[in-house]
Amino acid sequence: MKFEESKVLQHLPKQFFANLVAKVNAKAATGADVINLGQGNPDQPTPDFIVKAMQKATADPADHKYSLFRGMPRLKQAAADFYKREYGVDLDPEKEVAILGGSKIGLVELPFALLNPGDTMLLPDPGYPDYLSGVALAQVKLELMSLSADNHYLPDYQQLDSKVVEQAKLMYLNYPHNPTGAVATPEFYQDTVKFAKAHHIGVVQDFAYGAIGFDGKRPVSFLQTPGAKDVGIETYTLSKSYNMAGWRIGFAVGNADMIEAINLIQDHLFVSVFPAIQDAAIAALNSDQSTVKTLVARYQKRHDDFYAAARKIGWEPYPSGGTFYAWMPVPKGYTSEEFADLLLDKCAVAVAPGTGFGKSGEGFVRIGLLIDEPRFTEACERIGKLGLFKK
Ligand SMILES: Cc1ncc(COP(=O)(O)O)c(C=O)c1O
């Protein structure tokens, strides 16, 4: 028998990173010493105290049973306490927190949980490619908010087409921003709340890189904005702050209706997350956050090392305020994909072309700061030999 995928699945976007990984693997198979700056997978291990909490929890028979459908009340409490302590935000743990098996799941299922086929949603361009999976699964209409360096990669709400704005029901934001490292200001979030209220648009702010701010500046949470909970939610993940990307745990916080929609769809898709992982997440969230400080210091050093190495060859980075990425301009005469191919081919340096994150990513490539020196210097020296940048 032969089976065909459903029409919905046939409309899923191509996985952008699968193509990049194939190219990098093909290059490495030639024996080249590839410096891979293309991906976003945290390279450091999960802090030991979290691993130990997980080990203890896996030995507890209570953690072997089905979880409550909506996750452990004590994890929701830990998430609420975390937001209170870190951002001064008050949350009702039962009504305003939803446990997610990684924030990607929440971001992909949300359009399906909140919108009807044919409804309109707004996504940032450039932006995290997986948002597009949610658009395809929910069969909603996508409108892009084109972001540019001129406006610090923040959407300019005045510039959006008024017809699109009137139709839009949901909007995604992501600060600190993957792929550019741009950060949002409290004023921008205040404008966002006003805009969302005026046009009845739900806001989802993806705070995946919330812990990673540079130069001592801490990224602000959208929920710190007065009125934010009336219009939207924020998603948070333990993947980046605690190097737990493989564990699959995160949460969404904010507007009670949106949280209920997430919980309802998840009642039908999952039985929450393995309880031992939830217990380990509690240990992480309730900790003194000293491991997060150490991690941010490591990313700051990498950011400084990479910027210094790039500037030495005349390659000026976009001034990023957070995340573990650097957003680098492409020299004249190349598209971002051509330049990424050239770097892999001639320098054995893998980078992600900006267009992998949307049309407005043209003219840039994204560098992942997920290795230590001396590899940044080596990568930049190899690239410098191409002679494409003016010093
Ligand atoms: C902007 C952004 N949002 C969300 C995610 C998903 O993170 P997770 O599903 O591990 O929580 C990522 C992962 O790379 C990301 O870059």
Side-chain angles (χ1 to χ4, degrees):
M1 279 206 291
K2 180 149 172 44
F3 296 96
E4 247 191 21
E5 288 141 8
S6 69
K7 294 224 161 40
V8 173
L9 261 59
Q10 286 173 25
H11 283 106
L12 284 172
K14 294 266 161 304
Q15 274 286 359
F16 163 68
F17 278 100
N19 190 19
L20 185 65
V21 170
K23 282 186 186 173
V24 173
N25 288 347
K27 183 71 181 176
T30 66
D33 170 25
V34 176
I35 303 180
N36 191 349
L37 306 173
Q39 281 176 286
N41 203 346
D43 60 308
Q44 293 297 300
T46 305
D48 198 42
F49 76 92
I50 302 173
V51 176
K52 291 228 164 70
M54 169 77 166
Q55 284 166 340
K56 185 162 168 252
T58 52
D60 180 354
D63 274 9
H64 302 169
K65 299 184 173 172
Y66 287 120
S67 168
L68 288 174
F69 274 13
R70 297 183 173 201
M72 289 177 170
R74 60 179 184 266
L75 175 53
K76 292 186 237 182
Q77 184 67 55
D81 292 346
F82 175 83
Y83 256 73
K84 178 73 184 166
R85 214 175 45 241
E86 299 293 317
Y87 303 109
V89 171
D90 287 305
L91 292 165
D92 176 332
E94 275 312 308
K95 295 201 175 87
E96 295 177 333
V97 180
I99 306 301
L100 304 172
S103 61
K104 168 177 167 164
I105 286 182
L107 293 160
V108 173
E109 74 199 356
L110 237 164
F112 188 70
L114 276 177
L115 303 181
N116 293 307
D119 283 350
T120 298
M121 74 178 280
L122 300 169
L123 288 184
D125 169 21
Y128 178 53
D130 289 11
Y131 302 146
L132 297 170
S133 315
V135 170
L137 288 175
Q139 299 176 269
V140 295
K141 189 162 166 243
L142 169 64
E143 294 286 351
L144 294 169
M145 300 183 287
S146 179
L147 313 181
S148 70
D150 294 345
N151 200 42
H152 312 287
Y153 290 102
L154 300 169
D156 181 346
Y157 298 129
Q158 309 308 321
Q159 293 298 316
L160 296 177
D161 182 321
S162 58
K163 272 204 208 102
V164 169
V165 169
E166 283 324 309
Q167 282 166 0
K169 299 213 163 131
L170 191 63
M171 166 171 90
Y172 278 19
L173 298 172
N174 164 223
Y175 297 102
H177 183 222
N178 177 8
T180 68
V183 290
T185 57
E187 294 73 29
F188 167 73
Y189 281 149
Q190 284 157 23
D191 287 348
T192 300
V193 170
K194 261 195 231 149
F195 172 73
K197 279 194 176 161
H199 304 285
H200 204 274
I201 300 174
V203 178
V204 178
Q205 150 54 19
D206 172 359
F207 208 26
Y209 299 91
I212 310 170
F214 295 134
D215 304 322
K217 291 193 195 113
R218 184 144 201 245
V220 287
S221 158
F222 175 58
L223 293 191
Q224 289 174 297
T225 320
K229 264 205 263 177
D230 296 337
V231 302
I233 59 171
E234 189 156 76
T235 54
Y236 200 89
T237 176
L238 282 78
S239 296
K240 323 281 175 183
S241 324
Y242 307 98
N243 298 318
M244 291 173 72
W247 298 52
R248 314 309 304 135
I249 185 81
F251 54 89
V253 284
N255 183 274
D257 294 341
M258 289 167 109
I259 293 295
E260 175 58 26
I262 294 177
N263 277 328
L264 185 57
I265 178 91
Q266 296 202 147
D267 285 348
H268 294 266
L269 289 175
F270 314 112
V271 189
S272 197
V273 176
F274 177 29
I277 293 179
Q278 295 188 57
D279 271 327
I282 293 169
L285 294 171
N286 284 346
S287 71
D288 65 7
Q289 308 303 308
S290 56
T291 58
V292 182
K293 276 195 200 91
T294 308
L295 185 67
V296 172
R298 182 185 281 262
Y299 286 133
Q300 174 83 55
K301 164 127 186 26
R302 289 173 174 184
H303 165 93
D304 296 347
D305 289 344
F306 177 74
Y307 272 39
R311 283 180 173 140
K312 230 175 175 169
I313 61 160
W315 198 15
E316 186 58 36
Y318 174 76
S320 140
T323 73
F324 44 57
Y325 302 113
W327 187 237
M328 304 300 293
V330 167
K332 282 212 170 57
Y334 294 89
T335 66
S336 66
E337 183 135 21
E338 285 165 355
F339 184 57
D341 286 345
L342 177 82
L343 296 190
L344 187 60
D345 183 32
K346 298 270 190 273
C347 313
V349 174
V351 300
T355 43
F357 306 92
K359 227 168 64 197
S360 303
E362 186 53 274
F364 290 87
V365 293
R366 190 194 73 178
I367 300 277
L369 303 172
L370 297 163
I371 51 171
D372 283 317
E373 274 291 50
R375 294 294 265 177
F376 292 132
T377 299
E378 164 139 20
C380 288
E381 280 173 2
R382 290 187 198 174
I383 294 168
K385 286 196 187 122
L386 295 174
L388 292 170
F389 301 101
K390 280 194 225 108
K391 273 195 243 179

